[in-house]
Amino acid sequence: MRVTFLGTGSAMPLPDRVQTGLLLEPSVDGDSDGDGADGSGADGGEPDGRPLLVDCGAGVLHRLSQTDVGYEGVATVLLTHHHLDHVSDLLALLKARWLAGEEHLEVVGPPGTKSLVDDLLTAFDYLEGRVDLAVREVAADEPFEVAGYSVEAHETRHSVPCLAYRFGDAFTFSGDSEAFEGLANFADGSRVLAHDCSFPDEVDVSNHPTPTQLGEALAGRDVDRLYLTHLYPHTEGKHREMLDSVEAQFDGDVRIARDGLRFEIPE
């Protein structure tokens, strides 16, 4: 599996961090930025799955246009939840695909996703019927398939219903969430975990974790590499101390995610 961080920012984006979005693709030979999850790149063999966009916040469409896949190549979007910084570019993606002559788009997400899409199309009714649009809702603890990937979902602790997603033993994405034992157990055994770490330790916050809280929750868990993402401006200049705080409890490889970072995970 190849993972690209399109957006690693938050509801308060930074010049070099747009809002949340990740691109998943089948594994290919080589590792374009030397950041392979085990240093070896892809494992070869026939790839499974198709390009899949996970969340679609503001700026993600532009980032997607900078990839080889492009918005023309993404026919499926998987949403973790319905906050604006995770869905802002959803209809912009639909319009871009329509104008590019693409005919299909599938949107998958937690309960309420159909109502969200219906409401957006009511506000922008000139987009209705422009592409063959399918909407599917999924639930926690009910495995499903999307874009050829087998996925498990787990309810997070956030201010609105939100799902974390696990793609086999390769990759887990927390969505937005506090750090807690249930989510740590859900990610246990993943080669790579991308987890919300919105603020440094000195910020008193709910619905998101601080680095110390995240390290404590993941202590003893078998995760090869952890990426901290969904970063607010409050984290600027504090990345090293955030890494140190997580590493004080968690003995895996901990890194700060950045827009454009791409890596391969052997399947």
Side-chain angles (χ1 to χ4, degrees), residues 37-256:
D38 68 349
S40 64
D43 62 345
E46 289 298 317
D48 294 322
R50 299 179 296 280
L52 172 66
L53 181 63
V54 182
D55 283 341
C56 195
V60 168
L61 180 62
H62 180 70
R63 292 281 195 249
L64 188 59
S65 73
Q66 298 169 333
T67 68
D68 291 338
V69 171
Y71 48 80
E72 301 94 334
V74 173
T76 306
V77 182
L78 177 62
L79 301 177
T80 60
H81 64 298
H82 302 147
H83 273 161
L84 195 60
D85 54 319
H86 295 254
V87 304
S88 290
D89 272 4
L90 185 59
L91 283 199
L93 172 64
L94 185 154
K95 181 174 181 178
R97 286 181 57 77
W98 159 45
L99 294 175
E102 301 296 335
E103 298 180 349
H104 306 284
L105 182 66
E106 180 184 27
V107 179
V108 182
T113 296
K114 187 177 187 309
S115 293
L116 170 74
V117 174
D118 287 347
D119 289 345
L120 288 172
L121 288 173
T122 297
F124 299 93
D125 57 356
Y126 75 99
L127 294 175
E128 197 151 8
R130 299 297 188 177
V131 302
D132 179 17
L133 178 63
V135 180
R136 177 160 53 109
E137 297 184 352
V138 295
D141 305 317
E142 296 180 6
F144 62 96
E145 289 197 2
V146 60
Y149 300 97
S150 297
V151 187
E152 297 174 79
H154 190 82
E155 184 74 30
T156 76
R157 291 182 181 174
H158 195 46
S159 54
V160 298
C162 179
L163 296 177
Y165 296 119
R166 177 167 177 153
F167 300 83
D169 290 337
F171 181 63
T172 298
F173 177 49
S174 72
D176 283 9
S177 181
E178 297 178 4
F180 65 101
E181 183 179 10
L183 185 51
N185 290 339
F186 178 69
D188 194 19
S190 300
R191 293 187 178 93
V192 178
L193 166 64
H195 201 294
D196 176 0
C197 195
S198 294
F199 297 96
D201 282 327
E202 61 265 27
V203 178
D204 183 15
V205 63
S206 60
N207 302 310
H208 302 282
T210 63
T212 292
Q213 292 167 347
L214 182 55
E216 289 173 349
L218 292 175
R221 299 312 194 280
D222 179 19
V223 173
D224 294 338
R225 180 176 297 171
L226 168 66
Y227 284 102
L228 309 185
T229 190
H230 201 266
L231 303 174
Y232 272 78
H234 308 63
T235 65
E236 289 292 280
K238 299 180 181 294
H239 292 173
R240 183 63 261 172
E241 69 181 60
M242 291 173 66
L243 294 171
D244 290 343
S245 293
V246 177
E247 290 168 349
Q249 300 287 335
F250 169 68
D251 60 6
D253 179 14
V254 187
R255 305 188 182 193
I256 301 289

